[in-house]
Amino acid sequence: MSSAYASTPYRPCSVAGCTQATLEQRGDGVSLLRAVDALGAYEARVTDSLEHWAAVAAERTFVARRVEGGQGDRWQRISFAQMLERATCVGQALAARGLSAERPIAILSENDLEHVTLAMGAMWAGVPY
């Protein structure tokens, strides 16, 4: 590990419900963090999780990006409920255009909110991207 990272402060946190993990430092500089706990139950599809959280915590932030300018930094956020609505609308639009598992799409954009919206819509409609 480089000296820049060795002095970086950290705080304990859980990762996806993981309470214990092992850290393996490889000679090539790669660090592997592995959960000790067995993988628990999870939804079969990402869109199933989106639907679940849109019902359970509709206003909770699903994704956000920093918008600079004006009076300090602001955040543009999309809640779980908003993303579910967006994904179903985009998914319907993709299906209406005849896109499917046999007719995938390519997303040519920056990694931004529009990108994740199109990706979630594609997943909702079962269209590979």
Coordinates of all heavy atoms in Angstrom, one line a residue, residues 24-121:
E24 N -6.9 -8.9 2.4 CA -5.8 -9.6 1.8 C -5.0 -8.6 1.0 O -5.5 -8.0 0.1 CB -6.2 -10.8 0.9 CG -5.0 -11.5 0.2 CD -5.5 -12.5 -0.8 OE1 -6.7 -13.0 -0.7 OE2 -4.7 -12.9 -1.6
Q25 N -3.7 -8.4 1.4 CA -2.8 -7.5 0.6 C -1.9 -8.3 -0.3 O -1.1 -9.1 0.2 CB -1.9 -6.7 1.6 CG -2.7 -5.9 2.6 CD -3.1 -4.5 2.0 OE1 -2.8 -4.2 0.9 NE2 -3.9 -3.8 2.8
R26 N -2.1 -8.2 -1.6 CA -1.3 -9.0 -2.5 C 0.0 -8.2 -2.8 O 0.1 -7.0 -2.7 CB -2.1 -9.2 -3.8 CG -3.2 -10.1 -3.6 CD -3.8 -10.5 -4.9 NE -4.9 -11.5 -4.8 CZ -5.6 -11.9 -5.8 NH1 -5.5 -11.3 -7.0 NH2 -6.5 -12.8 -5.6
G27 N 1.0 -9.0 -3.3 CA 2.3 -8.4 -3.6 C 2.2 -7.4 -4.8 O 3.1 -6.6 -4.9
D28 N 1.2 -7.6 -5.7 CA 1.1 -6.7 -6.8 C 0.4 -5.4 -6.5 O 0.1 -4.6 -7.4 CB 0.4 -7.4 -8.0 CG -1.0 -7.9 -7.7 OD1 -1.4 -7.6 -6.5 OD2 -1.6 -8.5 -8.6
G29 N 0.1 -5.1 -5.2 CA -0.5 -3.9 -4.9 C -2.0 -4.0 -4.8 O -2.7 -3.0 -4.4
V30 N -2.6 -5.1 -5.1 CA -4.1 -5.3 -5.0 C -4.5 -5.6 -3.6 O -3.8 -6.4 -2.9 CB -4.5 -6.4 -6.0 CG1 -6.0 -6.8 -5.8 CG2 -4.2 -6.1 -7.4
S31 N -5.5 -5.0 -3.1 CA -6.1 -5.3 -1.8 C -7.5 -5.9 -2.0 O -8.3 -5.4 -2.7 CB -6.3 -4.0 -1.0 OG -5.0 -3.4 -0.8
L32 N -7.7 -7.1 -1.4 CA -9.0 -7.8 -1.5 C -9.7 -7.7 -0.2 O -9.1 -8.2 0.8 CB -8.8 -9.2 -2.0 CG -8.3 -9.5 -3.4 CD1 -8.1 -10.9 -3.6 CD2 -9.2 -8.9 -4.4
L33 N -10.9 -7.2 -0.1 CA -11.7 -7.2 1.1 C -12.8 -8.3 0.9 O -13.6 -8.2 -0.1 CB -12.3 -5.8 1.3 CG -13.1 -5.6 2.6 CD1 -12.2 -5.7 3.8 CD2 -13.8 -4.2 2.5
R34 N -12.9 -9.3 1.7 CA -13.8 -10.3 1.6 C -14.7 -10.4 2.9 O -14.1 -10.4 4.0 CB -13.1 -11.7 1.4 CG -12.4 -11.8 0.1 CD -11.8 -13.2 0.0 NE -10.8 -13.2 -1.1 CZ -11.1 -13.6 -2.3 NH1 -12.3 -14.0 -2.6 NH2 -10.2 -13.6 -3.3
A35 N -16.0 -10.6 2.7 CA -16.9 -10.7 3.8 C -16.7 -12.1 4.5 O -16.5 -13.1 3.8 CB -18.3 -10.6 3.4
V36 N -16.7 -12.1 5.8 CA -16.6 -13.4 6.5 C -18.0 -14.0 6.6 O -18.2 -15.3 6.4 CB -16.1 -13.2 7.9 CG1 -16.2 -14.5 8.8 CG2 -14.7 -12.6 7.9
D37 N -19.1 -13.2 6.7 CA -20.4 -13.7 6.8 C -20.9 -14.3 5.4 O -20.5 -13.8 4.4 CB -21.4 -12.5 7.1 CG -21.0 -11.8 8.4 OD1 -20.4 -12.5 9.3 OD2 -21.3 -10.6 8.5
A38 N -21.8 -15.3 5.5 CA -22.3 -15.8 4.3 C -23.3 -14.8 3.7 O -23.9 -14.0 4.4 CB -23.1 -17.1 4.6
L39 N -23.4 -14.8 2.4 CA -24.3 -13.9 1.6 C -25.8 -14.2 2.0 O -26.2 -15.4 2.0 CB -24.1 -14.1 0.1 CG -25.0 -13.2 -0.8 CD1 -24.6 -11.7 -0.5 CD2 -24.7 -13.6 -2.2
G40 N -26.5 -13.2 2.4 CA -27.9 -13.4 2.8 C -28.8 -13.4 1.7 O -28.4 -13.3 0.5
A41 N -30.1 -13.4 1.9 CA -31.1 -13.4 0.9 C -31.0 -12.0 0.1 O -30.7 -11.0 0.7 CB -32.5 -13.5 1.5
Y42 N -31.3 -12.1 -1.1 CA -31.3 -10.9 -2.0 C -32.3 -11.0 -3.1 O -32.6 -12.2 -3.4 CB -29.9 -10.6 -2.5 CG -29.3 -11.7 -3.3 CD1 -29.5 -11.7 -4.7 CD2 -28.5 -12.7 -2.7 CE1 -28.9 -12.8 -5.5 CE2 -28.0 -13.7 -3.5 CZ -28.2 -13.8 -4.8 OH -27.7 -14.8 -5.6
E43 N -32.6 -9.9 -3.7 CA -33.6 -9.9 -4.8 C -32.9 -10.5 -6.0 O -31.7 -10.4 -6.2 CB -34.1 -8.5 -5.1 CG -34.8 -7.8 -3.9 CD -36.1 -8.4 -3.6 OE1 -36.7 -9.2 -4.4 OE2 -36.7 -8.0 -2.6
A44 N -33.8 -11.2 -6.9 CA -33.3 -11.8 -8.1 C -32.8 -10.8 -9.1 O -31.9 -11.0 -9.9 CB -34.3 -12.7 -8.7
R45 N -33.4 -9.6 -9.1 CA -33.1 -8.6 -10.1 C -32.9 -7.2 -9.4 O -33.6 -6.9 -8.4 CB -34.2 -8.4 -11.2 CG -34.4 -9.7 -12.0 CD -35.6 -9.6 -12.9 NE -36.9 -9.6 -12.1 CZ -37.5 -10.6 -11.8 NH1 -37.1 -11.8 -12.1 NH2 -38.6 -10.5 -11.1
V46 N -32.1 -6.4 -10.0 CA -31.9 -5.0 -9.4 C -33.2 -4.3 -9.4 O -33.5 -3.5 -8.5 CB -30.8 -4.3 -10.2 CG1 -30.7 -2.8 -9.8 CG2 -29.5 -4.9 -10.1
T47 N -34.0 -4.5 -10.4 CA -35.3 -3.7 -10.5 C -36.2 -4.2 -9.4 O -37.1 -3.4 -9.0 CB -35.9 -3.9 -11.9 OG1 -36.0 -5.3 -12.2 CG2 -35.1 -3.2 -12.9
D48 N -36.1 -5.4 -8.9 CA -36.9 -5.9 -7.8 C -36.5 -5.1 -6.5 O -37.4 -4.7 -5.8 CB -36.7 -7.4 -7.5 CG -37.3 -8.3 -8.6 OD1 -38.1 -7.8 -9.4 OD2 -36.9 -9.4 -8.7
S49 N -35.3 -4.9 -6.4 CA -34.8 -4.1 -5.2 C -35.3 -2.6 -5.3 O -35.7 -2.0 -4.4 CB -33.3 -4.1 -5.1 OG -32.8 -5.3 -4.7
L50 N -35.3 -2.1 -6.5 CA -35.7 -0.7 -6.8 C -37.2 -0.6 -6.4 O -37.6 0.3 -5.7 CB -35.5 -0.3 -8.2 CG -36.1 1.1 -8.6 CD1 -35.4 2.2 -7.8 CD2 -35.9 1.3 -10.1
E51 N -38.0 -1.6 -6.9 CA -39.4 -1.6 -6.6 C -39.7 -1.7 -5.0 O -40.5 -1.0 -4.5 CB -40.1 -2.7 -7.3 CG -41.6 -2.7 -7.2 CD -42.3 -3.7 -8.1 OE1 -41.7 -4.0 -9.2 OE2 -43.3 -4.2 -7.7
H52 N -38.9 -2.6 -4.4 CA -39.0 -2.8 -2.9 C -38.8 -1.4 -2.2 O -39.6 -1.0 -1.4 CB -38.1 -3.9 -2.4 CG -37.9 -3.9 -1.0 ND1 -38.9 -4.5 -0.1 CD2 -37.0 -3.4 -0.2 CE1 -38.5 -4.3 1.1 NE2 -37.3 -3.7 1.1
W53 N -37.6 -0.8 -2.5 CA -37.2 0.4 -1.8 C -38.1 1.6 -2.1 O -38.3 2.5 -1.3 CB -35.8 0.7 -1.9 CG -35.0 -0.3 -1.1 CD1 -34.2 -1.4 -1.6 CD2 -34.9 -0.4 0.3 NE1 -33.7 -2.1 -0.6 CE2 -34.1 -1.5 0.6 CE3 -35.4 0.3 1.3 CZ2 -33.8 -1.9 1.9 CZ3 -35.2 -0.1 2.6 CH2 -34.4 -1.2 2.9
A54 N -38.7 1.6 -3.3 CA -39.6 2.7 -3.7 C -40.9 2.6 -2.8 O -41.5 3.6 -2.5 CB -39.9 2.6 -5.2
A55 N -41.2 1.3 -2.4 CA -42.4 1.2 -1.6 C -42.1 1.4 -0.1 O -42.8 2.0 0.6 CB -42.9 -0.3 -1.8
V56 N -40.9 1.0 0.3 CA -40.5 1.1 1.7 C -39.9 2.4 2.1 O -40.2 2.9 3.2 CB -39.4 0.0 2.1 CG1 -38.9 0.1 3.4 CG2 -40.0 -1.4 1.9
A57 N -39.1 3.0 1.3 CA -38.5 4.3 1.6 C -38.5 5.2 0.4 O -37.5 5.5 -0.2 CB -37.1 4.1 2.1
A58 N -39.7 5.6 -0.1 CA -39.9 6.2 -1.4 C -39.0 7.5 -1.5 O -38.5 7.7 -2.6 CB -41.4 6.6 -1.6
E59 N -38.9 8.3 -0.5 CA -38.2 9.6 -0.6 C -36.7 9.5 -0.3 O -36.0 10.4 -0.5 CB -38.8 10.6 0.3 CG -40.3 11.0 -0.1 CD -40.4 11.4 -1.6 OE1 -39.6 12.2 -2.0 OE2 -41.3 10.8 -2.2
R60 N -36.2 8.3 0.1 CA -34.8 8.1 0.3 C -34.0 8.3 -1.0 O -34.5 7.9 -2.1 CB -34.5 6.8 0.9 CG -33.1 6.6 1.4 CD -32.9 5.3 2.1 NE -33.7 5.1 3.3 CZ -33.8 4.0 3.9 NH1 -33.2 2.9 3.5 NH2 -34.5 4.0 5.0
T61 N -32.8 8.8 -0.9 CA -32.1 9.1 -2.2 C -31.5 7.8 -2.7 O -30.9 7.0 -2.1 CB -30.9 10.0 -1.9 OG1 -31.4 11.3 -1.4 CG2 -30.0 10.3 -3.1
F62 N -31.8 7.6 -4.0 CA -31.3 6.4 -4.8 C -30.0 6.8 -5.4 O -29.0 6.0 -5.3 CB -32.3 6.0 -5.9 CG -31.8 5.0 -6.8 CD1 -31.8 3.7 -6.4 CD2 -31.3 5.3 -8.1 CE1 -31.3 2.7 -7.3 CE2 -30.8 4.4 -8.9 CZ -30.8 3.0 -8.6
V63 N -29.9 8.0 -6.0 CA -28.6 8.4 -6.6 C -28.6 10.0 -6.6 O -29.7 10.6 -6.6 CB -28.5 7.9 -8.0 CG1 -29.6 8.4 -8.9 CG2 -27.1 8.1 -8.6
A64 N -27.4 10.5 -6.5 CA -27.3 12.0 -6.5 C -26.0 12.4 -7.2 O -25.1 11.6 -7.3 CB -27.4 12.5 -5.1
R65 N -26.0 13.6 -7.6 CA -24.7 14.2 -8.2 C -24.6 15.6 -7.7 O -25.6 16.3 -7.5 CB -24.7 14.1 -9.7 CG -25.5 15.1 -10.4 CD -25.2 15.1 -11.9 NE -26.0 16.1 -12.6 CZ -25.5 17.2 -13.0 NH1 -24.2 17.5 -12.9 NH2 -26.3 18.1 -13.6
R66 N -23.3 16.0 -7.5 CA -23.0 17.4 -7.1 C -23.2 18.3 -8.2 O -22.7 18.1 -9.3 CB -21.6 17.4 -6.5 CG -21.3 18.8 -5.8 CD -19.9 18.8 -5.4 NE -19.4 17.6 -4.7 CZ -19.4 17.5 -3.4 NH1 -19.8 18.5 -2.6 NH2 -18.9 16.4 -2.8
V67 N -23.9 19.4 -8.0 CA -24.0 20.5 -9.0 C -23.3 21.7 -8.5 O -23.7 22.3 -7.4 CB -25.5 20.8 -9.2 CG1 -25.7 21.9 -10.3 CG2 -26.3 19.6 -9.7
E68 N -22.2 22.1 -9.1 CA -21.5 23.2 -8.6 C -22.0 24.5 -9.2 O -22.7 24.6 -10.2 CB -20.0 23.1 -9.0 CG -19.3 21.8 -8.4 CD -17.9 21.7 -8.8 OE1 -17.3 22.6 -9.4 OE2 -17.4 20.6 -8.6
G69 N -21.7 25.6 -8.5 CA -22.1 26.9 -8.9 C -23.1 27.5 -7.9 O -23.6 26.9 -7.0
G70 N -23.3 28.8 -8.1 CA -24.2 29.5 -7.2 C -23.6 29.6 -5.8 O -22.4 29.8 -5.6
Q71 N -24.4 29.5 -4.8 CA -24.1 29.6 -3.4 C -23.6 28.3 -2.9 O -24.3 27.6 -2.3 CB -25.2 30.1 -2.6 CG -25.8 31.4 -3.1 CD -25.4 32.6 -2.2 OE1 -25.0 32.4 -1.1 NE2 -25.5 33.8 -2.8
G72 N -22.4 27.9 -3.2 CA -21.8 26.6 -2.7 C -22.3 25.5 -3.5 O -23.0 25.6 -4.5
D73 N -21.9 24.3 -3.1 CA -22.3 23.1 -3.8 C -23.7 22.7 -3.5 O -24.2 22.8 -2.4 CB -21.4 21.9 -3.5 CG -20.0 22.2 -4.1 OD1 -19.8 23.0 -5.0 OD2 -19.0 21.5 -3.6
R74 N -24.4 22.2 -4.5 CA -25.8 21.7 -4.3 C -25.8 20.2 -4.8 O -24.9 19.8 -5.5 CB -26.8 22.4 -5.1 CG -26.9 23.9 -4.9 CD -28.0 24.6 -5.8 NE -27.5 24.5 -7.2 CZ -28.2 24.0 -8.2 NH1 -29.4 23.5 -8.0 NH2 -27.8 24.0 -9.4
W75 N -26.8 19.5 -4.5 CA -27.0 18.1 -4.9 C -28.3 18.0 -5.7 O -29.3 18.4 -5.3 CB -27.0 17.2 -3.7 CG -25.7 17.0 -3.1 CD1 -25.2 17.8 -2.1 CD2 -24.6 16.1 -3.4 NE1 -23.9 17.4 -1.8 CE2 -23.6 16.4 -2.6 CE3 -24.5 15.1 -4.4 CZ2 -22.4 15.6 -2.6 CZ3 -23.4 14.4 -4.4 CH2 -22.3 14.6 -3.6
Q76 N -28.2 17.4 -6.9 CA -29.4 17.0 -7.6 C -29.6 15.5 -7.3 O -28.7 14.7 -7.5 CB -29.1 17.1 -9.1 CG -30.3 16.7 -10.0 CD -30.0 16.8 -11.5 OE1 -29.0 17.3 -11.9 NE2 -31.0 16.4 -12.2
R77 N -30.7 15.2 -6.7 CA -31.0 13.9 -6.2 C -32.2 13.3 -6.9 O -33.1 14.0 -7.3 CB -31.2 13.8 -4.7 CG -32.3 14.7 -4.2 CD -32.4 14.7 -2.7 NE -33.0 13.4 -2.1 CZ -34.3 13.1 -2.1 NH1 -35.2 13.9 -2.6 NH2 -34.6 12.0 -1.6
I78 N -32.2 11.9 -7.0 CA -33.3 11.2 -7.5 C -33.7 10.2 -6.4 O -32.8 9.4 -6.0 CB -33.0 10.5 -8.8 CG1 -32.6 11.5 -9.9 CG2 -34.2 9.6 -9.3 CD1 -32.1 10.9 -11.2
S79 N -34.9 10.2 -5.9 CA -35.3 9.3 -4.9 C -35.6 7.9 -5.5 O -35.7 7.7 -6.7 CB -36.6 9.8 -4.2 OG -37.7 9.8 -5.0
F80 N -35.8 6.9 -4.6 CA -36.2 5.6 -5.1 C -37.5 5.6 -5.9 O -37.6 5.0 -6.9 CB -36.3 4.6 -3.9 CG -35.0 4.1 -3.4 CD1 -34.3 4.7 -2.4 CD2 -34.4 3.0 -4.1 CE1 -33.1 4.2 -2.0 CE2 -33.2 2.5 -3.6 CZ -32.6 3.1 -2.6
A81 N -38.5 6.4 -5.4 CA -39.8 6.5 -6.1 C -39.6 7.2 -7.4 O -40.2 6.7 -8.4 CB -40.8 7.2 -5.2
Q82 N -38.8 8.2 -7.5 CA -38.6 8.9 -8.7 C -37.9 8.0 -9.7 O -38.2 8.0 -10.9 CB -37.8 10.2 -8.5 CG -38.6 11.3 -7.8 CD -37.7 12.4 -7.3 OE1 -36.5 12.2 -6.9 NE2 -38.2 13.6 -7.3
M83 N -36.9 7.3 -9.3 CA -36.2 6.4 -10.2 C -37.1 5.3 -10.7 O -37.0 4.9 -11.9 CB -34.9 5.8 -9.5 CG -34.1 4.9 -10.5 SD -33.7 5.7 -12.1 CE -32.4 6.8 -11.5
L84 N -37.9 4.7 -9.8 CA -38.9 3.7 -10.3 C -39.8 4.3 -11.4 O -40.0 3.6 -12.4 CB -39.7 3.2 -9.1 CG -40.8 2.1 -9.5 CD1 -40.1 0.9 -10.1 CD2 -41.6 1.8 -8.2
E85 N -40.3 5.5 -11.2 CA -41.1 6.1 -12.2 C -40.3 6.3 -13.5 O -40.8 6.0 -14.6 CB -41.7 7.4 -11.7 CG -42.6 8.1 -12.7 CD -43.2 9.4 -12.2 OE1 -42.8 9.9 -11.1 OE2 -44.0 10.0 -13.0
R86 N -39.1 6.8 -13.4 CA -38.3 7.0 -14.6 C -38.0 5.7 -15.3 O -38.1 5.7 -16.5 CB -37.0 7.7 -14.2 CG -37.1 9.2 -13.8 CD -35.8 9.7 -13.2 NE -35.8 11.1 -13.0 CZ -34.9 11.9 -13.3 NH1 -33.8 11.5 -13.9 NH2 -35.0 13.2 -13.1
A87 N -37.6 4.7 -14.5 CA -37.2 3.4 -15.1 C -38.4 2.8 -15.9 O -38.2 2.3 -17.0 CB -36.7 2.5 -14.0
T88 N -39.6 2.9 -15.3 CA -40.7 2.3 -16.0 C -41.1 3.0 -17.2 O -41.4 2.4 -18.3 CB -41.9 2.2 -15.0 OG1 -42.3 3.4 -14.5 CG2 -41.7 1.2 -13.9
C89 N -41.0 4.4 -17.2 CA -41.2 5.2 -18.4 C -40.2 4.9 -19.5 O -40.6 4.7 -20.7 CB -41.3 6.6 -18.0 SG -42.7 7.2 -17.1
V90 N -38.9 4.9 -19.1 CA -37.9 4.6 -20.1 C -38.0 3.2 -20.6 O -37.9 3.0 -21.8 CB -36.5 4.9 -19.5 CG1 -35.4 4.4 -20.4 CG2 -36.3 6.4 -19.2
G91 N -38.3 2.3 -19.7 CA -38.4 0.9 -20.1 C -39.6 0.7 -21.1 O -39.4 0.0 -22.1
Q92 N -40.7 1.4 -20.9 CA -41.8 1.3 -21.8 C -41.4 1.9 -23.2 O -41.8 1.4 -24.2 CB -43.0 2.1 -21.2 CG -44.2 2.0 -22.1 CD -44.7 0.6 -22.4 OE1 -44.8 -0.2 -21.5 NE2 -45.0 0.4 -23.7
A93 N -40.7 3.0 -23.1 CA -40.3 3.7 -24.4 C -39.3 2.8 -25.2 O -39.5 2.7 -26.4 CB -39.6 5.0 -24.1
L94 N -38.5 2.1 -24.5 CA -37.5 1.2 -25.2 C -38.3 0.0 -25.8 O -38.1 -0.4 -27.0 CB -36.5 0.7 -24.2 CG -35.5 1.7 -23.7 CD1 -34.6 1.1 -22.6 CD2 -34.7 2.4 -24.8
A95 N -39.2 -0.6 -25.0 CA -40.0 -1.7 -25.5 C -40.9 -1.2 -26.7 O -41.1 -2.0 -27.7 CB -40.9 -2.2 -24.4
A96 N -41.5 0.0 -26.7 CA -42.3 0.5 -27.7 C -41.5 0.7 -29.0 O -42.1 0.6 -30.1 CB -42.9 1.8 -27.3
R97 N -40.2 0.8 -28.9 CA -39.3 0.9 -30.1 C -38.8 -0.4 -30.6 O -37.9 -0.5 -31.4 CB -38.2 1.9 -29.8 CG -38.7 3.3 -29.7 CD -37.7 4.3 -29.1 NE -38.1 5.7 -29.1 CZ -39.1 6.2 -28.3 NH1 -39.7 5.4 -27.4 NH2 -39.4 7.4 -28.4
G98 N -39.3 -1.5 -30.0 CA -38.9 -2.8 -30.4 C -37.6 -3.3 -29.9 O -37.1 -4.3 -30.4
L99 N -37.1 -2.7 -28.9 CA -35.8 -3.1 -28.3 C -36.1 -4.3 -27.3 O -37.1 -4.3 -26.7 CB -35.1 -2.0 -27.6 CG -34.8 -0.8 -28.5 CD1 -34.3 0.4 -27.7 CD2 -33.7 -1.2 -29.5
S100 N -35.2 -5.2 -27.3 CA -35.4 -6.4 -26.5 C -34.0 -7.1 -26.2 O -33.0 -6.5 -26.6 CB -36.3 -7.4 -27.2 OG -35.6 -7.8 -28.4
A101 N -34.0 -8.3 -25.7 CA -32.8 -9.0 -25.5 C -32.1 -9.3 -26.8 O -30.9 -9.4 -26.8 CB -33.1 -10.4 -24.8
E102 N -32.8 -9.4 -27.9 CA -32.2 -9.6 -29.2 C -31.8 -8.2 -29.8 O -31.1 -8.2 -30.8 CB -33.2 -10.3 -30.1 CG -33.5 -11.7 -29.8 CD -34.4 -11.8 -28.5 OE1 -35.3 -11.0 -28.4 OE2 -34.2 -12.8 -27.7
R103 N -32.3 -7.1 -29.3 CA -32.0 -5.8 -29.9 C -31.5 -4.9 -28.7 O -32.3 -4.1 -28.2 CB -33.2 -5.2 -30.6 CG -33.5 -5.9 -31.9 CD -34.5 -5.1 -32.7 NE -33.9 -3.8 -33.1 CZ -34.6 -2.7 -33.2 NH1 -35.9 -2.6 -32.9 NH2 -34.0 -1.6 -33.6
P104 N -30.3 -5.1 -28.2 CA -29.8 -4.3 -27.1 C -29.4 -2.9 -27.5 O -29.5 -2.5 -28.6 CB -28.5 -5.1 -26.7 CG -28.0 -5.7 -28.0 CD -29.3 -6.0 -28.7
I105 N -29.1 -2.1 -26.5 CA -28.7 -0.7 -26.7 C -27.3 -0.4 -26.2 O -26.8 -1.2 -25.4 CB -29.7 0.3 -26.0 CG1 -29.6 0.1 -24.5 CG2 -31.1 0.2 -26.6 CD1 -30.4 1.2 -23.7
A106 N -26.7 0.6 -26.7 CA -25.4 1.1 -26.2 C -25.7 2.5 -25.6 O -26.3 3.3 -26.3 CB -24.4 1.2 -27.3
I107 N -25.2 2.7 -24.4 CA -25.3 4.0 -23.8 C -24.0 4.8 -24.0 O -23.0 4.4 -23.4 CB -25.7 3.8 -22.3 CG1 -26.9 3.0 -22.1 CG2 -25.8 5.2 -21.6 CD1 -27.3 2.7 -20.7
L108 N -24.1 5.8 -24.8 CA -22.9 6.6 -25.1 C -23.1 7.9 -24.3 O -23.6 8.9 -24.9 CB -22.8 6.8 -26.6 CG -22.7 5.5 -27.4 CD1 -22.7 5.8 -28.9 CD2 -21.5 4.7 -27.0
S109 N -22.6 8.0 -23.1 CA -22.8 9.2 -22.3 C -21.8 9.2 -21.2 O -21.1 8.2 -21.0 CB -24.2 9.3 -21.7 OG -24.3 8.3 -20.7
E110 N -21.7 10.3 -20.5 CA -20.9 10.3 -19.3 C -21.6 9.5 -18.2 O -22.8 9.2 -18.4 CB -20.8 11.8 -18.9 CG -20.0 12.7 -19.8 CD -19.8 14.1 -19.3 OE1 -20.0 14.3 -18.1 OE2 -19.5 14.9 -20.1
N111 N -20.9 9.3 -17.2 CA -21.5 8.5 -16.0 C -22.3 9.5 -15.2 O -21.7 10.1 -14.3 CB -20.3 7.9 -15.2 CG -20.9 6.9 -14.2 OD1 -22.0 6.6 -14.2 ND2 -20.0 6.6 -13.3
D112 N -23.5 9.8 -15.6 CA -24.3 10.8 -14.9 C -25.7 10.3 -14.6 O -26.0 9.1 -14.8 CB -24.4 12.1 -15.8 CG -24.9 11.8 -17.2 OD1 -25.6 10.8 -17.4 OD2 -24.7 12.7 -18.0
L113 N -26.6 11.1 -14.2 CA -27.9 10.7 -13.8 C -28.8 10.2 -15.0 O -29.6 9.3 -14.8 CB -28.7 11.9 -13.1 CG -28.0 12.3 -11.8 CD1 -28.8 13.5 -11.2 CD2 -27.9 11.2 -10.8
E114 N -28.5 10.8 -16.1 CA -29.3 10.3 -17.3 C -28.8 8.9 -17.7 O -29.6 8.1 -18.1 CB -29.1 11.3 -18.5 CG -29.7 12.7 -18.3 CD -29.0 13.6 -17.3 OE1 -27.8 13.4 -17.0 OE2 -29.6 14.6 -16.9
H115 N -27.5 8.7 -17.5 CA -27.0 7.4 -17.8 C -27.6 6.3 -16.9 O -28.1 5.3 -17.4 CB -25.4 7.4 -17.6 CG -24.8 6.1 -18.0 ND1 -24.0 5.9 -19.0 CD2 -24.8 4.9 -17.3 CE1 -23.5 4.7 -19.1 NE2 -24.0 4.0 -18.1
V116 N -27.6 6.5 -15.6 CA -28.2 5.6 -14.7 C -29.7 5.4 -14.9 O -30.3 4.3 -14.8 CB -27.9 5.9 -13.2 CG1 -28.7 7.1 -12.7 CG2 -28.1 4.7 -12.3
T117 N -30.4 6.5 -15.3 CA -31.8 6.4 -15.6 C -32.0 5.5 -16.8 O -32.9 4.6 -16.8 CB -32.4 7.8 -15.9 OG1 -32.3 8.6 -14.7 CG2 -33.9 7.7 -16.3
L118 N -31.3 5.7 -17.9 CA -31.4 4.8 -19.1 C -31.1 3.4 -18.8 O -31.7 2.5 -19.2 CB -30.5 5.4 -20.2 CG -30.7 4.7 -21.6 CD1 -32.1 4.6 -22.0 CD2 -29.8 5.4 -22.6
A119 N -30.0 3.2 -18.0 CA -29.6 1.8 -17.6 C -30.7 1.1 -16.8 O -31.0 0.0 -17.0 CB -28.3 1.9 -16.8
M120 N -31.3 1.8 -15.8 CA -32.4 1.2 -15.0 C -33.6 1.0 -15.9 O -34.2 -0.1 -15.7 CB -32.7 2.2 -13.9 CG -31.7 2.3 -12.8 SD -31.1 0.7 -12.0 CE -32.6 0.2 -11.2
G121 N -33.9 1.8 -16.8 CA -35.0 1.6 -17.7 C -34.8 0.4 -18.6 O -35.7 -0.4 -18.9

